[in-house]
Structures are given as structure tokens and as C-alpha cells.
Amino acid sequence: MSESRARRPLAPRRDEPPVIGSAVAFGRDPFAFYEDLAAYGDVVRFSMANYDMATVLHPACIEQVLVDDFGSFRKPKSMVDMSVLSEGLLLTDGERWRAQRTLLQPMFYRERVATYAETMGEYAARAVDEWVRQGELDVKEAMSTYTLRVLGTTLLGVDTDEHQAAVRAGAEAIRERTSENPVTVQIPEWVPTPANRRFRRGVDAFRDAIDDLVDERDGGGDDLLSLLLDAEYEDGTAPSESEVRSQLMTFLFAGHETSALALTWIVYELGRKPAVADALRAEVDTVVDGEHATLADLPDLTYTEQVVREALRRYPPAAAMFRETREDVAVGGYRIPEGTFVTVPQFHVHRDERWWDDPGTFDPDRWAGVEDVPGDRPDYSYFPFGGGPRHCIGMRFALLELQLALATFAKRFAVRHDHDDVGVDLGATFHPGSPIRARFEPR
Ligand code: HEM
């Protein structure tokens, strides 16, 4: 149960202009804005237009929100109203969420995920060959093509190649939408603003692609799509057609964009930090024997794992998580009122100098010899996959994919680019501020 609520003082509130609240300050520089919030303490209230908001910045408070007082929070209504994903695992709540999570969890058991390793490695090798031929390319696009292919084949049992453009347009529309602040998300989808029209176009293309993928499937497999189509919940109901569609969109979106971003930032750093690239190469040259990295190589790919961990710290693909209080909640000694939109920002906590030395530097060596993440820091000073009952269902899948892909890439190419600082487009995801263009040269 949460700390006794009634007697707690309200959490401190940021000094901000009336009406508009903190919307402008956040929009101007989200990193500086959260630094400013942190000056008020570890639990801070603020507002954006008519939204009452709060953030939690201390690992113990974050654990309370995600784990101990899980039941006092739900996904924010303004996000759940995003029609395309509303019936999928990321946004459902209560009993429906629990039933979906129970149904889908077996797809992500350790033994099951291990069976995807061969495809992850093989597709990485194939992708590199294509990139070398292409010359300079947009890294995020290239990585998205790779992660989407892997996801389609391993989890969904479909070939996404023909539908890449539509799925990516849909994912981009959703990314744009979830990257806006809650003030703009609030404008209903049917209002024909330019942003809403763009969103609709992207999502319609995505929906058509999903319908085609469902029609094209062979049937009878043991992939996620077959599982959904044949499912029956404990209460005897089955997922409706719109739920199946929403679920597929959820997995296509959540499962490819995040991993693609992690790989993109890694390639960016490899091009900037020759010492990291050299250390990685030295490791894969001794460990990886064949065309691509395999499951058997993993225990020896320790530096590769350090690079992945550091990328997820410095560039957390899910930049922040969002909740809404169902009731008054006491967190870190303060009261957060019912109906408050609460942010849990990885992008800020992963750089907090209380837990991280020189946090702005990409330094895989900080993970050397650290077996139990996050090492001697408090739990939830590092939480790229969230935590508690709603932690990322695809975590094992993602970690396996990132390590196999990275080891395979490092074995087969050297990356070259001229970027100094691409900046960050920070929303729900940690996105490069401008496209990262690079050349992949065979080794
Ligand atoms: C580096 C890659 C990834 C990162 C950093 C990441 C991060 C996260 C985070 C932080 C959450 C929690 C959201 C919240 O509590 O509000 C989450 C949930 C989720 N992720 Fe991931 N994710 C990654 C890869 C994947 C993959 C590969 C899949 C699917 C194959 C996936 C599917 C999902 C789903 C469906 C949820 C919702 C789970 C629930 O609410 O029960 N993610 N992810």
C-alpha cells in the first residue's frame, strides 16, 4: 500500500507562468527543463496548459510508482485515446491488460526467444552486405529495415518487406504523435489540423498493411499472430478483429522502432569513438567465427554487451514513461493528487550525477565487471526497459537482437561518418535531432 496519503504535503510545484504553464520551457529544451525541475526536489509538480503534471526523479520514488504502488496508476487517458494502439498491450489497463499479458508472455520466454537468434544473426549479415553496396545511407532507416524484418519473421510469422514503407509511415505517425506534449495530443484525432491529417494518413497506410499481412499469412503457425487469432481469454471471450489489429500495430511499433534507435546511436558512437570501435572489433575477431554472431558466442561477447548497456543508458530509446494517478498517492513523502499526469524520465535519471560519473560521455567501460545491472547504484537509477508488472515484454528479445546484430556488424564492417553532434529530438522516444548518414565499409 502507498504511504498514508492524507497527511502528506503536496509535492513542490515549479514556478511557472499562468495558463501555459511549462509547455514553452519544455518545448525549448527538455533536458534543461528537467534540470530545472530537479532543483525543486525528487517529486515535482508542474503544468502544461490545463494538465496537472508531476515527475519523479529519485530511483526509490520510481520504484514506488512502477512496482510498489502499481495499482494506484494507470496509463494516461490522453494517450489511451490514441485510437490505433488503444486495444494493444502498451495501452490497455486492468483485467484486459492482464489477460493480454498472460496470453502473450509465452512468446517471450527465454527458451522461445533463443530460437530467434539464428534469424537475428543471419539477417544482420545480410543487411550489412546490402549497406556496403548502397554507399552512404540514413542509419535509422537502415536499422529500422533490419529490426522490422527480424520482428516480422520471428514473432509475427509474416514477411514485412513489401509493407516496409507503410509500417514505417505508421510508426513515424505514432512517434510524432507521442512526441508531442499532452497539450497537443489533447486535440481530438478528427479535428483536421495539419498534424492530425499527417497522423491519419500514416495510420491509414499502416492499417491497410496490417490487413494485408493478416490476409497473407499461411495460418496454423505458432507465431504471435496465430496465437491472437486463435486465442480465448479466461472469461470465454476472444480478441475482436480491432483488438488483433491494434495488438499487431503495437508490436510492430514498439518492437522495431526502439531497437532500431539503439542500433542507430551505437553506429553513431562507433563512428565518433575509434577506441570503442577498436575494442569491439578485437572482441568479435576472437569470438565470432562464422558469417554472423550466434547464441553460443554470447557468453564471450562481454564488451559487446557493455556497449549495448551504455547505449541504453546514454540514449534510452524509450525516453520516458507516462502514468496517471487513479487516486491521491504519496510518493517520496509528498502527495500527488488524483488525476495527475506523471512522467518517469529515463533520459534524465540515466544522466543524474548522483548515480553516474561524467554522465554525458559514452563510456562502455563503466560497465566492465558489472554483473548485476545497475551495479552498486540504486535499482531504478537505470531502467531502459521500465519496471514492475508492465516492464517491457520484449526485453530479452531486444537484448539478444542488439548483441547479435552489433557483433555481426562489427565483424563485417567499419562505419564512417562526419557528424559531430546530431542533437536529439526528444519525445516519447530518444530520436536523433537530424538524420545520421554514414558509410559502411567492408573490413
Ligand atoms: C531496446 C529496445 C526496447 C526498449 C528500450 C523498450 C522499452 C520499453 C519500456 C520502457 C516499456 C514500458 C512502458 C511503460 O511502462 O509505460 C516497454 C513496454 C513494452 N514493450 Fe518494449 N522496449 C524495447 C523493445 C521491445 C521489443 C523488441 C518489443 C516486442 C517484440 C517490445 C514490446 C513492448 C510492449 C508490447 C510493451 C508494453 C508492455 C505492457 O505494458 O505490458 N519492446 N518497452
Side-chain angles (χ1 to χ4, degrees), residues 150-163:
V150 170
L151 193 70
T153 303
T154 56
L155 207 59
L156 303 177
V158 294
D159 180 353
T160 55
D161 266 16
E162 246 185 68
H163 304 289

Side-chain angles (χ1 to χ4, degrees), residues 136-372:
E136 189 179 282
L137 46 76
D138 181 321
V139 179
K140 165 78 194 317
E141 293 252 317
M143 296 302 160
S144 299
T145 303
Y146 165 69
T147 56
L148 203 49
R149 264 187 197 152
V150 170
L151 193 70
T153 303
T154 56
L155 207 59
L156 303 177
V158 294
D159 180 353
T160 55
D161 266 16
E162 246 185 68
H163 304 289
Q164 281 263 351
V167 173
R168 297 255 288 285
E172 185 55 25
I174 293 169
R175 186 182 78 77
E176 261 193 33
R177 185 102 188 156
T178 50
S179 295
E180 292 158 356
N181 63 44
V183 184
T184 37
V185 172
Q186 198 185 6
I187 301 172
E189 280 174 22
W190 52 264
V191 180
T193 61
N196 272 356
R197 276 205 297 268
R198 253 196 331 272
F199 177 68
R200 220 3 63 227
R201 264 199 310 275
V203 162
D204 285 348
F206 196 2
R207 199 189 301 268
D208 290 346
I210 295 281
D211 289 346
D212 287 350
L213 287 171
V214 173
D215 289 345
E216 284 162 19
R217 86 181 183 118
D218 291 339
D222 62 349
D223 49 79
L224 189 133
L225 179 52
S226 307
L227 187 73
L228 284 171
L229 291 170
D230 300 336
E232 190 179 301
Y233 294 125
E234 270 178 10
D235 65 3
T237 62
S240 65
E241 212 173 280
S242 73
E243 181 179 326
V244 172
R245 202 188 273 142
S246 197
Q247 202 65 276
L248 281 180
M249 286 181 160
T250 296
F251 276 86
L252 279 168
F253 172 67
H256 99 275
E257 171 86 3
T258 40
S259 303
L261 282 171
L263 289 171
T264 301
W265 287 114
I266 289 173
V267 163
Y268 173 65
E269 285 291 359
L270 292 181
R272 280 162 30 120
K273 291 226 153 70
V276 175
D278 288 348
L280 191 62
R281 235 171 265 150
E283 176 170 278
V284 298
D285 284 352
T286 43
V287 177
V288 180
D289 207 11
E291 290 280 289
H292 59 79
T294 65
L295 200 58
D297 297 330
L298 277 190
D300 298 318
L301 290 172
T302 49
Y303 190 75
T304 308
E305 186 179 348
Q306 285 171 223
V307 173
V308 169
R309 279 184 189 170
E310 180 66 348
L312 297 177
R313 180 195 70 81
R314 178 65 181 74
Y315 305 102
M321 294 180 296
F322 308 105
R323 296 288 187 271
E324 195 171 277
T325 47
R326 288 181 194 276
E327 54 191 347
D328 281 16
V329 189
V331 181
Y334 291 110
R335 182 156 50 94
I336 305 179
E338 179 185 344
T340 305
F341 188 118
V342 179
T343 70
V344 185
Q346 284 97 327
F347 79 88
H348 176 85
V349 180
H350 285 190
R351 292 176 178 219
D352 189 327
E353 290 184 343
R354 287 178 291 182
W355 330 115
W356 305 99
D357 293 333
D358 198 7
T361 300
F362 182 83
D363 176 16
D365 284 336
R366 71 173 83 237
W367 297 103
V370 175
E371 287 207 0
D372 292 325

Side-chain angles (χ1 to χ4, degrees), residues 78-147:
S78 56
M79 301 191 85
V80 175
D81 284 349
M82 190 165 57
S83 55
V84 278
L85 302 185
S86 62
E87 294 178 78
L89 190 65
L90 198 59
L91 294 182
T92 48
D93 242 313
E95 277 315 306
R96 178 50 28 139
W97 166 76
R98 201 172 293 280
Q100 289 183 345
R101 182 100 190 188
T102 310
L103 174 73
L104 298 170
Q105 195 69 54
M107 296 298 296
F108 297 92
Y109 287 159
R110 189 183 302 277
E111 318 77 66
R112 175 80 194 218
V113 169
T115 66
Y116 308 143
E118 193 55 28
T119 305
M120 291 168 171
E122 196 185 310
Y123 282 21
R126 209 204 297 166
V128 177
D129 294 342
E130 279 174 25
W131 298 339
V132 166
R133 275 198 305 275
Q134 280 173 29
E136 189 179 282
L137 46 76
D138 181 321
V139 179
K140 165 78 194 317
E141 293 252 317
M143 296 302 160
S144 299
T145 303
Y146 165 69
T147 56

Side-chain angles (χ1 to χ4, degrees), residues 67-84:
V67 188
D68 306 336
D69 288 348
F70 173 72
S72 302
F73 295 86
R74 62 170 161 241
K75 295 282 174 133
K77 188 164 175 340
S78 56
M79 301 191 85
V80 175
D81 284 349
M82 190 165 57
S83 55
V84 278

